[in-house]
């Protein structure tokens, strides 16, 4: 069996973990989530979710990965061979995310180039859906491959390949140490100039003005917990893989807290960056901020380019914003790819170079479907089902398994052994009650919503082909892969004492 790599430094691990957690969602999802859910009042349930669920779950995953020294499948197989499938479910979720997430990074790369000349023109919406995407009328009609998106996708995959191929210390850690400081510098420069724009203060007022009545709304709390789960990269193998490279004496609890706090802090400064621009845009167009506020792809590739056209220094703002998107996207992309690569290394006992080559080549081939005219529609459905069911199901089963069927007190002793900050019964109770309850509520809400009516108004054929069937593929693949024995079978069952109910 190959000797497991380790991080070169604690800073390197923190930067990599933060790089995984900080992604496009922090920039384009969190600000609108705050705006829609009570403004500044939303920060109350958000911080409660962070303390009651985010940090406990992060400590759990850091502890599991560091204790069992393996990817998600290997970690669960080390506890019980019967639970290995759960790890492969999480690996499949991460793999599929890489195949479309990389295409969004490719869009950002293209727009980074376009930002030097505002190449999206005077009608960014028409340009994005028409000339750039060549959008078709249905996800069942993929149309032709868009050459500029294909080329940028290939470049993003190649960069990811180099980072993962060269190893944990030489590749992932080195990139993270450059990318994370760079990302914060870009955002702070943008904010420094953006706050001087007329109307910026009004934008921030719209964002942070508290509506405390929203706290009584259950959906607001569900959104707060959902944002925490999705933005921290927990529940689908990333943190298990990253923490498996930690040395034995690592401060698990402190590392987890730092990762969560930095991620959440970045989300807040992203809100300031986005809404300062939206405030300026609203003033220039003589409309309220509510008419220009948005989230997701529309915010990044339609609303912000429209705002950049109105700015006194469009090249400055455009380059900063899209470079920040590219950096945030690539850091998360690397971590998603590492989930699958580390799982393959553990399972087949092959070299990192071989595993990285297989995964990146396969991932690139699947990604081509998302570079077509129907790619955005296909991406929309797949992303919806992966986030609302794939990630939540994996996280929910993981927390039930570890907190209720395994010796959670043994894990608590393990994480406390080398940590300055000690966790007690509150940590255990949070993992046993609060986290599974909130994940369960979100799952039920999502299931009821999707059964009631098709997501996005898509056809039954499209929803079945690219939505529900995807979950069946996850399960079938997970069960199939878990049947194959590990090349180094000595890991199996050696931690049976950790499983309370066998």
């Amino acid at each position: 069996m190959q000797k497991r790599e380790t991080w070169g430094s604690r800073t390197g691990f923190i930067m990599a973990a933060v790089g995984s957690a900080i992604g496009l969602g922090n920039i384009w999802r969190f600000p609108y989530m705050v705006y829609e859910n009570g403004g500044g009042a939303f920060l109350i349930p958000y911080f409660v979710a962070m303390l009651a669920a985010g940090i406990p779950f992060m400590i759990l995953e850091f502890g599991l990965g560091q204790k069992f020294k393996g990817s998600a499948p290997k970690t669960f197989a080390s506890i019980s061979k019967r639970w290995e499938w759960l790890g492969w479910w999480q690996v499949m979720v991460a793999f599929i995310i890489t195949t479309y997430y990389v295409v969004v990074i490719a869009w950002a790369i293209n727009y980074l180039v376009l930002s030097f000349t505002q190449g999206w023109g005077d009608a960014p919406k028409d340009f994005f859906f028409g000339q750039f995407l060549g959008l078709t009328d249905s996800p069942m009609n993929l149309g032709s491959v868009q050459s500029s998106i294909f080329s940028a996708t290939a470049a993003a995959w190649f960069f990811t390949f180099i980072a993962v191929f060269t190893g944990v210390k030489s590749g992932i850690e080195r990139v993270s140490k450059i990318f994370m400081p760079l990302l914060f510098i870009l955002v702070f420069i943008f904010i420094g100039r953006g706050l001087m724009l007329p109307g910026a203060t009004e934008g921030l007022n719209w964002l942070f003005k508290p509506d405390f009545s929203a706290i009584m709304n259950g959906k607001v709390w569900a959104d707060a917990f959902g944002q925490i789960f999705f933005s921290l990269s927990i529940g689908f193998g990333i943190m298990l893989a990253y923490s498996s490279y930690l040395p034995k004496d690592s401060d698990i609890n402190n590392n987890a807290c730092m990762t969560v706090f930095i991620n959440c802090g970045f989300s807040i400064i992203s809100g300031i960056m986005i809404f300062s621009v939206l405030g300026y845009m609203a003033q220039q167009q003589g409309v309220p901020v509510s008419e220009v506020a948005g989230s997701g792809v529309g915010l990044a590739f339609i609303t912000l380019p429209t705002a950049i056209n109105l700015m006194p220094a469009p090249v400055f703002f455009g380059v900063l914003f899209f470079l920040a998107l590219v950096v945030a996207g690539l850091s998360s992309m690397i971590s998603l790819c590492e989930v699958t690569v580390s799982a393959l290394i553990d399972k087949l006992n092959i070299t990192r170079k071989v595993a990285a080559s297989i995964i990146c080549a396969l991932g690139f081939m699947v990604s081509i479907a998302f570079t077509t005219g129907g790619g955005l529609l296909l991406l929309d459905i797949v992303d919806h089902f992966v986030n609302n069911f794939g990630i939540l199901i994996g996280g929910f089963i993981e927390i039930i398994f570890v907190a209720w069927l395994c010796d959670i007190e043994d894990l608590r002793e393990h994480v406390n052994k080398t940590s300055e900050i000690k966790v007690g019964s509150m940590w255990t109770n949070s993992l046993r009650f609060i986290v599974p309850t909130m994940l369960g509520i979100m799952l039920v809400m999502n299931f009821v919503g999707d059964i009631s009516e098709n997501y996005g108004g898509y056809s039954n054929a499209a929803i079945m082909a690219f939505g529900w069937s995807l979950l069946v593929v996850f399960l079938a693949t997970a069960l199939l892969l878990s049947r194959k024995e590990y090349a180094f079978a000595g890991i199996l069952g050696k931690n049976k004492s950790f499983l309370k109910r066998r």
Side-chain angles (χ1 to χ4, degrees):
M1 186 181 182
Q2 302 175 61
K3 183 180 178 183
R4 195 160 197 83
E5 298 175 83
T6 57
W7 298 102
S9 64
R10 180 180 182 179
T11 302
F13 167 69
I14 294 294
M15 289 295 101
V18 167
S20 168
I22 291 177
L24 302 178
N26 297 71
I27 297 174
W28 72 31
R29 188 172 187 267
F30 176 80
Y32 190 70
M33 189 74 69
V34 175
Y35 165 75
E36 270 218 318
N37 289 284
F42 176 75
L43 297 179
I44 296 173
Y46 180 74
F47 286 130
V48 169
M50 180 187 75
L51 296 172
I55 291 176
F57 208 144
M58 188 69 79
I59 292 173
L60 172 79
E61 295 219 320
F62 279 7
L64 282 175
Q66 197 260 2
K67 180 180 176 68
F68 295 110
K69 295 293 179 189
S71 57
K74 182 182 174 183
T75 293
F76 296 125
S78 298
I79 300 169
S80 169
K81 175 64 177 173
R82 289 182 299 175
W83 284 88
E84 184 188 341
W85 70 270
L86 174 58
W88 287 112
W89 172 284
Q90 295 181 345
V91 166
M92 286 300 299
V93 167
F95 175 73
I96 293 300
I97 293 175
T98 61
T99 63
Y100 65 80
Y101 194 79
V102 70
V103 177
V104 182
I105 298 170
W107 298 346
I109 292 172
N110 274 279
Y111 268 65
L112 173 60
V113 176
L114 291 170
S115 63
F116 285 95
T117 59
Q118 289 80 65
W120 46 75
D122 296 327
K125 182 176 181 179
D126 295 337
F127 172 82
F128 180 66
F129 290 124
Q131 185 180 334
F132 182 66
L133 292 181
L135 193 66
T136 63
D137 59 352
S138 165
M140 307 300 286
N141 173 22
L142 291 180
S144 59
V145 171
Q146 302 299 298
S147 58
S148 62
I149 300 174
F150 177 86
S151 301
T153 299
W157 264 117
F158 182 72
F159 181 87
T160 303
F161 169 71
I162 294 299
V164 177
F165 180 89
T166 48
V168 171
K169 190 184 300 184
S170 304
I172 299 172
E173 182 172 344
R174 184 173 295 173
V175 169
S176 300
K177 281 184 173 179
I178 297 171
F179 270 25
M180 283 306 96
L182 174 61
L183 179 59
F184 275 86
I185 289 169
L186 290 171
V187 171
F188 278 122
I189 292 174
F190 192 107
I191 289 173
R193 180 64 184 89
L195 289 177
M196 291 188 282
L197 294 170
T201 304
E202 185 63 20
L204 297 185
N205 286 339
W206 275 83
L207 174 63
F208 290 119
K209 184 180 178 181
D211 173 13
F212 291 107
S213 65
I215 298 177
M216 305 306 293
N217 187 337
K219 183 182 178 298
V220 171
W221 285 85
D223 283 347
F225 275 83
Q227 179 64 25
I228 286 291
F229 286 127
F230 295 133
S231 71
L232 290 178
S233 298
I234 48 181
F236 55 110
I238 293 178
M239 295 309 175
L240 291 176
Y242 269 16
S243 59
S244 72
Y245 303 120
L246 283 171
K248 288 183 178 180
D249 59 350
S250 298
D251 188 327
I252 300 295
N253 300 343
N254 206 353
N255 288 344
C257 290
M258 287 175 64
T259 302
V260 173
F261 285 135
I262 294 172
N263 171 74
C264 294
F266 182 83
S267 293
I268 292 172
I269 65 171
S270 294
I272 296 172
M273 176 179 73
I274 296 298
F275 270 79
S276 63
V277 173
L278 294 182
Y280 169 78
M281 180 180 177
Q283 186 184 87
Q284 293 299 302
Q285 296 183 340
V287 299
V289 176
S290 57
E291 288 193 21
V292 297
S295 65
V297 171
L299 172 71
F301 299 103
I302 298 172
T303 306
L304 264 296
T306 302
I308 289 167
N309 284 348
L310 301 170
M311 288 182 176
V315 175
F316 172 82
F317 282 105
V319 170
L320 278 181
F321 177 72
F322 287 108
L323 183 57
L325 277 191
V326 172
V327 170
L330 284 174
S331 63
S332 294
M333 178 67 186
I334 290 168
S335 67
L336 286 162
C337 192
E338 177 61 22
V339 173
T340 321
V341 169
S342 63
L344 213 59
I345 293 171
D346 288 342
K347 187 72 172 181
L348 304 179
N349 197 27
I350 57 178
T351 65
R352 169 171 289 276
K353 292 176 172 56
V354 172
S357 300
I358 293 171
I359 295 304
C360 291
L362 184 61
F364 173 65
M365 286 189 287
V366 177
S367 293
I368 294 173
F370 297 102
T371 68
T372 62
L376 173 62
L377 304 176
L378 179 62
L379 185 156
D380 188 31
I381 297 173
V382 173
D383 180 62
H384 173 79
F385 277 85
V386 165
N387 278 285
N388 286 272
F389 298 103
I391 293 176
L392 287 182
I393 288 172
F396 179 73
I397 296 176
E398 176 187 338
I399 201 69
I400 293 295
F401 172 58
V402 178
W404 286 100
L405 303 183
C406 295
D407 190 348
I408 191 73
E409 291 303 320
D410 176 75
L411 186 64
R412 184 163 71 88
E413 289 178 18
H414 173 78
V415 299
N416 282 340
K417 193 180 300 179
T418 56
S419 300
E420 265 183 68
I421 305 169
K422 310 297 181 184
V423 293
S425 58
M426 284 183 65
W427 177 75
T428 306
N429 290 331
S430 175
L431 293 174
R432 281 185 171 163
F433 301 105
I434 298 176
V435 176
T437 298
M438 294 308 299
L439 285 173
I441 289 172
M442 286 187 285
L443 260 175
V444 170
M445 288 171 60
N446 292 342
F447 185 75
V448 170
D450 277 60
I451 289 296
S452 304
E453 57 180 312
N454 284 352
Y455 167 70
Y458 292 107
S459 67
N460 289 332
I463 291 294
M464 287 301 299
F466 307 120
W468 295 114
S469 64
L470 191 65
L471 303 180
V472 176
V473 171
F474 286 169
L475 182 59
T477 307
L479 293 172
L480 187 64
L481 289 171
S482 63
R483 293 186 64 180
K484 179 177 172 55
E485 292 297 326
Y486 272 83
F488 183 72
I491 68 161
L492 301 179
K494 71 176 184 180
N495 296 286
K496 283 184 178 178
S497 61
F498 187 66
L499 187 66
K500 290 196 298 185
R501 302 177 187 179
R502 298 190 288 275

